[in-house]
């Protein structure tokens, strides 16, 4: 494993190894710290074109706790913000740092950076994929209900955003049923579903149908970062709020997840968020542990590549 660019590229075995590693690292942290520091002597760059709370804090803490150094670079700090091609930035940073964590708009930018830099590259969020979040969600499901295998997971909201797309690829590799409920116009394209080829993924415009007997109910903001002005799109989501009435159709021991930030009164009610705050904020914390597991797995490759330059 040399990069983490999407859930789509991960096998079932790799997902399990990342989750198992996160469990071990979480236990070590609770017991006083890590015996091994796989990022010792390494410097990682965090290149963010999108603002963040959980992603920035969890990665900065994670790199440092694994013994490394980290530098935060917003698009305003570097020449990318003035139009330098991503491949030029990648080829420069690839000779100076050991790895990169990128949070941006276009998935292709992350792919190009990985290809041209040659250093371990982690997708911290793009418009198409949010792999670290899904892995943290899977860890949370394992901790809260024991397993995702043979369970039903519902996603209610935008059926073709970075979260729902990433959930679809996770469902393809892992043994659970995924039901996505979204308004017409926010559904995956048939071409995308054909490429996915996952019979355990169902798509509906009826949120009750998706949530029926679900063990996990997942939601996200209706408008992703950069779409805030699309109020016409938001109007289509009125019937897709995760509220007390909708959850009556879920399994009696269900949990609710939200990747945050949450807009209470829109995609989720304040009542539901507070009732499920333990799982939602455990989910947020698990970003740290999962990302440390990913960093640990990429660390040896980063050291090897940098060794080429002395």
């Amino acid at each position: 494993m040399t990069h983490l660019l999407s859930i789509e590229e991960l096998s079932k075995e790799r997902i399990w190894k990342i989750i198992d590693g996160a469990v071990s690292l979480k236990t070590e942290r609770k017991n006083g710290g890590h015996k091994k520091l796989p990022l010792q002597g390494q410097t990682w760059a965090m290149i963010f074109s999108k603002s963040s709370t959980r992603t920035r804090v969890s990665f900065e803490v994670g790199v440092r706790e694994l013994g490394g150094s980290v530098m935060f670079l917003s698009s305003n700090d570097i020449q990318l913000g003035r139009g330098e091609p991503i491949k030029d930035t990648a080829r420069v940073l690839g000779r100076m740092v050991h790895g990169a964590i990128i949070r941006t708009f276009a998935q292709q930018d992350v792919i190009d950076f990985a290809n041209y830099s040659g250093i371990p590259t982690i997708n911290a969020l793009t418009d198409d994929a949010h792999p670290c979040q899904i892995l943290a969600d899977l860890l949370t499901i394992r901790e809260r209900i024991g397993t995702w295998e043979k369970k039903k997971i519902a996603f209610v909201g935008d059926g073709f955003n970075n979260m729902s797309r990433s959930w679809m690829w996770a469902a393809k590799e892992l043994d659970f049923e995924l039901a996505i409920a979204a308004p017409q116009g926010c559904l995956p394209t048939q071409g995308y579903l054909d490429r996915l080829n996952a019979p355990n993924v169902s798509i509906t415009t009826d949120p009750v149908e998706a949530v029926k007997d679900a063990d996990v109910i997942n939601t996200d903001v209706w408008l992703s970062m950069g779409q805030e002005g699309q109020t016409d799109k938001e109007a289509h989501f009125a019937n897709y709020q995760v509220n007390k009435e909708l959850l009556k159709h879920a399994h009696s021991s269900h949990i609710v997840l939200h990747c945050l930030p949450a807009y209470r009164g829109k995609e989720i009610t304040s009542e539901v968020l507070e009732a499920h705050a333990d799982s939602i904020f455990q989910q947020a914390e698990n970003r740290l542990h999962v990302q440390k597991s990913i960093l640990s797995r990429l660390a040896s490759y980063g050291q090897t590549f940098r060794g080429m330059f002395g």
Side-chain angles (χ1 to χ4, degrees):
M1 182 170 151
T2 54
H3 307 292
L4 179 65
L5 306 184
S6 67
I7 295 292
E8 180 178 355
E9 68 181 11
L10 294 180
S11 65
K12 180 177 182 178
E13 180 185 22
R14 284 183 173 179
I15 292 172
W16 272 103
K17 285 183 177 180
I18 292 170
I19 301 298
D20 287 343
V23 171
S24 297
L25 289 165
K26 188 172 183 177
T27 301
E28 286 181 17
R29 188 178 197 257
K30 183 179 179 181
N31 292 337
H34 304 304
K35 296 178 182 179
K36 295 182 179 180
L37 300 176
L39 297 188
Q40 188 78 50
Q42 294 193 18
T43 300
W44 282 63
M46 294 175 57
I47 305 167
F48 280 38
S49 299
K50 290 188 174 185
S51 59
S52 167
T53 300
R54 281 151 292 280
T55 301
R56 178 175 178 177
V57 173
S58 57
F59 267 116
E60 288 203 22
V61 171
V63 170
R64 291 190 175 105
E65 289 190 353
L66 294 177
S69 300
V70 62
M71 59 175 64
F72 180 82
L73 303 171
S74 75
S75 57
N76 293 327
D77 297 324
I78 56 179
Q79 296 298 328
L80 273 176
R82 298 179 61 194
E84 181 176 59
I86 191 75
K87 63 183 180 181
D88 290 355
T89 298
R91 286 183 284 198
V92 170
L93 293 184
R95 293 172 174 267
M96 298 181 182
V97 300
H98 298 85
I101 299 155
I102 304 179
R103 181 179 171 95
T104 190
F105 294 89
Q107 179 73 12
Q108 191 61 46
D109 283 349
V110 180
I111 295 170
D112 288 347
F113 187 96
N115 289 337
Y116 282 97
S117 71
I119 56 175
T121 302
I122 299 175
N123 178 358
L125 177 143
T126 64
D127 289 345
D128 289 352
H130 202 352
C132 297
Q133 182 64 62
I134 298 302
L135 292 165
D137 295 357
L138 290 169
L139 173 57
T140 307
I141 291 169
R142 174 168 158 174
E143 291 174 334
R144 301 296 296 193
I145 62 176
T147 182
W148 52 76
E149 293 181 320
K150 308 299 182 184
K151 301 295 185 181
K152 180 179 180 181
I153 298 175
F155 184 89
V156 180
D158 188 339
F160 208 34
N161 69 2
N162 52 17
M163 285 292 292
S164 51
R165 293 185 199 210
S166 298
W167 270 116
M168 284 188 272
W169 290 105
K172 181 178 175 66
E173 291 297 331
L174 304 174
D175 192 16
F176 64 82
E177 177 187 355
L178 177 67
I180 293 177
Q184 203 72 42
C186 297
L187 299 172
T189 65
Q190 189 57 53
Y192 191 88
L193 293 175
D194 290 343
R195 183 164 69 86
L196 178 72
N197 190 26
N200 55 324
V201 175
S202 62
I203 309 296
T204 180
T205 56
D206 183 357
V208 172
E209 178 184 340
V211 168
K212 184 175 173 57
D213 299 323
D215 302 281
V216 181
I217 296 85
N218 223 311
T219 190
D220 188 13
V221 295
W222 290 336
L223 299 179
S224 297
M225 194 175 298
Q227 298 180 343
E228 290 84 358
Q230 298 181 23
T231 53
D232 54 334
K233 178 181 177 181
E234 188 175 63
H236 296 293
F237 288 96
N239 296 324
Y240 294 86
Q241 183 184 75
V242 176
N243 53 40
K244 189 175 179 180
E245 288 302 311
L246 181 62
L247 293 178
K248 287 179 180 179
H249 302 279
H251 191 281
S252 58
S253 58
H254 67 270
I255 64 171
V256 173
L257 298 179
H258 192 306
C259 62
L260 301 177
Y263 293 93
R264 301 167 189 241
K266 290 189 176 182
E267 74 275 2
I268 190 170
T269 63
S270 183
E271 177 186 26
V272 168
L273 190 148
E274 292 301 332
H276 294 271
D278 285 350
S279 59
I280 290 170
F281 289 98
Q282 182 175 341
Q283 175 190 7
E285 178 197 339
N286 281 339
R287 287 286 301 278
L288 171 64
H289 310 301
V290 157
Q291 289 162 189
K292 285 165 73 173
S293 180
I294 296 164
L295 287 162
S296 296
R297 292 182 62 79
L298 297 180
S300 59
Y301 177 67
Q303 193 63 60
T304 300
F305 183 83
R306 284 293 295 130
M308 293 166 59
F309 297 103

